[in-house]
Amino acid sequence: MYDAVLVPTDGSEAAIHAANHAYSLGERYDATVHVLTVVEKSESTTIVGQGDEKLETLRDEGNDSTQRIVEEALSRDIHAVGTVEMGDPARTILTYAEDHDIDLIVMSTHGRSGVGRFLMGSVTERVLRDGDVPVLAVQR
């Protein structure tokens, strides 16, 4: 049923919780688990003299969180690959899913509602709304 499962991660505990669901699917369906961290280039990372350094720090943190999930999958004998990309998180997740023939996206939601969700936006909600790939939204 699933050959390729994508787990976007931001390094949070909620993302680790979602990864556990992806591991189960990887084991059950012998699927490859793709782990993706998206480093968002925002105004806060483009401060003169600090932008490149800040982006490099975010990229390093993304590599670390991606690698932890990939290593856990591999320790369970699940085929896994990881990558870090830059861009708009929802758009990058959807593009990755399309480019890699992803069958299911497993991602966390922080459970925000009301004003918090309106102000912060929701990457998960945008992926659900704008994508063609089924999404398993895991609330922690």
Side-chain angles (χ1 to χ4, degrees):
M1 177 170 233
Y2 302 114
D3 294 321
V5 176
L6 173 61
V7 181
T9 182
D10 59 3
S12 67
E13 286 300 315
I16 299 296
H17 186 67
N20 284 317
H21 289 273
Y23 301 148
S24 294
L25 292 164
E27 289 171 338
R28 180 173 183 148
Y29 296 105
D30 194 30
T32 299
V33 174
H34 294 250
V35 184
L36 173 65
T37 298
V38 180
V39 176
E40 185 174 13
K41 186 174 181 178
S42 66
E43 291 180 28
S44 64
T45 59
T46 58
I47 299 169
V48 175
Q50 295 180 3
D52 291 340
E53 185 177 311
K54 178 71 171 174
L55 284 175
E56 193 59 37
T57 298
L58 292 172
R59 192 183 333 256
D60 289 344
E61 290 170 357
N63 279 324
D64 290 345
S65 62
T66 299
Q67 196 58 37
R68 278 193 303 273
I69 294 172
V70 167
E71 287 173 3
E72 179 62 26
L74 294 173
S75 76
R76 297 177 185 209
D77 292 325
I78 301 165
H79 186 257
V81 294
T83 190
V84 176
E85 295 190 10
M86 291 189 60
D88 172 80
R91 188 173 307 127
T92 303
I93 291 165
L94 292 171
T95 299
Y96 185 96
E98 183 178 322
D99 291 349
H100 294 87
D101 295 320
I102 298 297
D103 300 305
L104 179 70
I105 301 171
V106 179
M107 58 191 305
S108 65
T109 177
H110 296 286
R112 289 188 191 102
S113 62
V115 176
R117 189 168 110 211
F118 176 75
L119 294 175
M120 298 298 290
S122 170
V123 173
T124 304
E125 184 178 335
R126 288 180 52 210
V127 169
L128 279 164
R129 183 181 60 234
D130 297 339
D132 295 325
V133 177
V135 177
L136 172 60
V138 179
Q139 185 170 340
R140 175 80 180 172

